[in-house]
Amino acid sequence: MTSMSIRVDAEIKARWDKLSEEHGLNASHLIRQAIIDKLEELEDFYTVRSRLSEPFEPEPNEEVWKRVGLAD
């Protein structure tokens, strides 16, 4: 694992420290998880944005049902 340095306002740091201390939370684990959650959200957003910028041709429902194995 590697480390990353970030800068936050003193108020944010104080709030984080207080929350972690009051509830016995592992601050590093929570920060890592928050970064992962936000990365996944941004990756999804930019994937959707990219796909929406491409021309789109709708497929008939019957073709979709066949492709997913639910055709009669």
Side-chain angles (χ1 to χ4, degrees):
M1 196 174 300
T2 186
S3 64
M4 182 186 320
S5 178
I6 63 167
R7 294 178 189 266
V8 295
D9 293 340
E11 179 190 351
I12 294 170
K13 175 78 166 81
R15 288 171 56 195
W16 191 262
D17 290 343
K18 181 181 177 200
L19 183 71
S20 297
E21 196 173 303
E22 286 178 354
H23 298 283
L25 304 171
N26 181 324
S28 293
H29 172 76
L30 292 174
I31 291 171
R32 269 192 307 277
Q33 193 57 51
I35 291 170
I36 290 167
D37 291 347
K38 190 62 179 183
L39 275 173
E40 290 173 352
E41 178 185 321
L42 288 170
E43 288 167 344
D44 290 346
F45 171 78
Y46 285 109
T47 297
V48 168
R49 189 169 129 179
S50 172
R51 288 181 183 170
L52 288 175
S53 69
E54 298 169 3
F56 174 74
E57 287 291 328
E59 288 190 52
N61 286 341
E62 298 78 23
E63 291 301 316
V64 174
W65 294 123
K66 280 184 204 175
R67 192 163 9 117
V68 297
L70 298 174
D72 290 333

